[in-house]
Amino acid sequence: MASLRDIKNRITSTKKTSQITKAMEMVSSSKWNRGVNNAKAFVPYMEKMQEVTASIAMGSQDVNHPMLKSRPVKKTGYLVITSDRGLAGAFNSNVIRQVYQTIKKRHKSNDEFAIIAIGRVGRDFFAKQGMNVVLEITGVADQPSFTEIKDITSSTVGMFEDGTFDELFVYYSHYVSAISQEVTEKKLLPLTNIEVPSKPTSYEFEPNAEQILEVLLPQYAESLIFGSLLDSKASEHAARMNAMKNATDNANELIKSLSLSYNRARQAAITQEITEIVGGAAALE
Amino acid sequence: MNTMKVNVVTPDGPVYESDVEMVSTKAQTGELGIMPGHIPMVAPLQIGAVRLKKGGNTEFVAVSGGFLEVRPDTVTVLAQTAEKSDNIDVERAMRAKERAEQRLREKQQENVDFRRAELALQRAINRISIAQGKL
């Protein structure tokens, strides 16, 4: 049986750990709140964007834009959104596993795909596997603003335009609720399946539909990426909050059972001492 | 006087929401003035100001590109960034202006960088002039 001092030490260290996890849980929970709000603030922009894009792209039949057209796929792009830091439960591994399995299933050689990694965890994994990471971004803020990630989005969309890849999928963890996030795969480019609103408006175009699409489509694709990133951030903080809550709960459980054995050991020591004294006194008589 | 609803939305959230009598702004094809009852229209915008006339005074919103979507009773501006005139961070804009000017002076041969610096300069100048009411 462990000595009194050993148990005491374990209790103290577990208490310290639980303090840390508790603090991390609280930090994540405030970040989670803000992340969800950011994702909400983005919705009106996205809805409008979607509406306008759909009305223009689907409304007029004679429009042609490279971003709307499927072309023969020689190379597939995968945009993988993970976090920079771990300690978020299965958040990162879920995303990475799905991407990894999909790539293994779909492609035979490294030349058939290109990976764009947002987040350190994903980047490290794919680089270690020797997979073709063409663009990587780490250190994205917890509350990313659109200007901050403009470079990422525009170079990603640029890669599609200049033919680095012929289709683009995005993988990220979609925020369902505080306790549930699910890995989502979305085909980003080419924009073949834009949801058409129930009652499309017929617009006048100033100067004309083609020129508007020229500006609108890249922006639309960029907003899709930004939206996924916000979604992923909200999930990340929710996942971390949960992981840390579980850790705190487990630590408390452990402290409880350790205190119990500590008290038992102490009681055993006292009993033993008394027996020894009584035994000694009896020997003297 | 008739009014219409105007929304300025950015990826970071809505910036402006109000009923106004007239919207005027600079589209890529030139100045545009919109009053209630306009035919549905879409036009890309230049970096510039959106002027919103409302009960005798005019409010300014700085936008860096984006779109104008017009319907008879609503006008929506979709911009990647937008600020109301009193929310503009002038110091930041000044710094951005200096940086952009610096870059333009160095005139690297890279075409893209040059273009970017130019756009950054335009955005900065736009913000500063709107914030200082020089319009």
Side-chain angles (χ1 to χ4, degrees):
Chain A
M1 197 170 144
S3 79
L4 271 182
R5 196 144 57 132
D6 288 345
I7 299 177
K8 185 108 197 172
N9 278 342
R10 278 197 67 193
I11 291 178
T12 336
S13 78
T14 315
K15 263 191 188 147
K16 292 242 168 74
T17 314
S18 83
Q19 273 172 2
I20 294 172
T21 53
K22 181 93 199 160
M24 285 177 75
E25 181 195 335
M26 267 152 29
V27 170
S28 296
S29 116
S30 88
K31 282 183 179 168
W32 162 69
N33 255 325
R34 297 230 298 271
V36 172
N37 284 340
N38 283 350
K40 272 197 197 127
F42 176 69
V43 170
Y45 179 80
M46 196 61 231
E47 274 175 357
K48 262 284 157 265
M49 203 76 182
Q50 174 118 23
E51 200 181 311
V52 176
T53 315
S55 312
I56 300 175
M58 306 297 149
S60 29
Q61 290 304 315
D62 53 334
V63 286
N64 250 330
H65 190 276
M67 283 173 79
L68 289 171
K69 271 228 183 112
S70 309
R71 52 192 194 216
V73 178
K74 287 195 231 68
K75 210 166 181 178
T76 311
Y78 293 93
L79 176 67
V80 186
I81 305 179
T82 56
S83 67
D84 275 349
R85 268 165 288 166
L87 291 182
F91 172 77
N92 288 312
S93 48
N94 281 346
V95 176
I96 291 174
R97 188 188 319 123
Q98 172 139 17
V99 179
Y100 188 69
Q101 284 171 353
T102 319
I103 290 180
K104 281 278 164 256
K105 219 185 309 165
R106 283 191 199 155
H107 307 289
K108 293 206 173 56
S109 84
N110 248 345
D111 309 323
E112 289 173 19
F113 63 90
I115 293 172
I116 298 165
I118 300 183
R120 184 166 293 124
V121 178
R123 192 245 352 232
D124 287 352
F125 176 81
F126 290 113
K128 207 171 168 192
Q129 297 291 321
M131 287 161 125
N132 185 12
V133 181
V134 285
L135 186 68
E136 51 176 71
I137 303 100
T138 55
V140 177
D142 283 322
Q143 266 77 44
S145 72
F146 191 76
T147 26
E148 214 174 311
I149 64 129
K150 181 89 177 53
D151 287 348
I152 313 170
T153 53
S154 51
S155 43
T156 308
V157 174
M159 278 182 183
F160 175 79
E161 282 172 333
D162 67 22
T164 311
F165 40 72
D166 306 294
E167 54 179 357
L168 177 67
F169 291 93
V170 62
Y171 284 83
Y172 67 96
S173 180
H174 170 61
Y175 175 81
V176 183
S177 72
I179 48 162
S180 129
Q181 299 88 34
E182 53 189 34
V183 181
T184 317
E185 176 205 54
K186 253 204 238 162
K187 188 173 188 183
L188 220 56
L189 290 169
L191 298 161
T192 44
N193 48 353
I194 305 173
E195 274 171 52
V196 183
S198 46
K199 42 176 178 43
T201 325
S202 61
Y203 291 105
E204 289 279 299
F205 301 118
E206 182 72 35
N208 57 42
E210 267 90 32
Q211 284 195 27
I212 290 185
L213 283 184
E214 197 72 30
V215 195
L216 181 67
L217 288 180
Q219 281 190 20
Y220 178 68
E222 283 172 20
S223 340
L224 283 176
I225 299 179
F226 184 62
S228 316
L229 182 66
L230 287 181
D231 202 347
S232 169
K233 282 285 174 195
S235 315
E236 177 194 338
H237 296 311
R240 182 165 296 128
M241 187 171 82
N242 268 322
M244 287 304 118
K245 187 169 163 24
N246 288 338
T248 315
D249 290 351
N250 288 342
N252 285 340
E253 198 105 316
L254 190 60
I255 290 170
K256 226 193 235 166
S257 84
L258 281 176
S259 320
L260 199 62
S261 19
Y262 176 77
N263 289 342
R264 257 193 213 133
R266 193 193 55 195
Q267 201 53 54
I270 293 169
T271 314
Q272 195 184 3
E273 216 168 297
I274 292 174
T275 332
E276 275 163 11
I277 293 169
V278 172
L284 283 179
E285 274 171 19
Chain B
M1 190 99 176
N2 275 339
T3 58
M4 58 191 162
K5 217 179 207 41
V6 174
N7 285 305
V8 180
V9 288
T10 68
D12 297 324
V15 172
Y16 183 92
E17 201 173 350
S18 178
D19 290 308
V20 306
E21 287 150 14
M22 180 171 159
V23 180
S24 55
T25 183
K26 219 183 218 173
Q28 285 186 352
T29 41
E31 281 280 339
L32 261 180
I34 290 139
M35 293 180 78
H38 199 284
I39 192 171
M41 182 187 77
V42 177
L45 297 179
Q46 286 185 24
I47 295 171
V50 177
R51 294 184 291 281
L52 304 143
K53 224 174 257 175
K54 186 171 144 191
N57 40 12
T58 311
E59 289 180 279
F60 293 92
V61 176
V63 293
S64 43
F67 286 88
L68 183 74
E69 190 226 7
V70 183
R71 289 169 184 232
D73 53 349
T74 50
V75 172
T76 313
V77 177
L78 292 161
Q80 300 202 326
T81 60
E83 293 105 18
K84 275 203 277 189
S85 55
D86 40 1
N87 289 345
I88 294 175
D89 187 342
V90 181
E91 259 172 52
R92 201 179 137 198
M94 290 283 194
R95 280 202 304 275
K97 186 179 166 213
E98 268 162 38
R99 258 202 321 274
E101 280 169 346
Q102 173 86 23
R103 230 170 277 157
L104 286 177
R105 267 198 300 277
E106 286 165 11
K107 263 197 197 162
Q108 287 156 344
Q109 297 311 306
E110 289 277 327
N111 251 341
V112 186
D113 266 347
F114 189 71
R115 180 91 192 110
R116 256 180 68 182
E118 224 167 30
L119 285 175
L121 183 61
Q122 268 184 40
R123 280 197 297 269
I125 292 174
N126 177 43
R127 284 201 179 106
I128 294 167
S129 57
I130 288 173
Q132 297 173 344
K134 285 186 203 154
L135 275 172

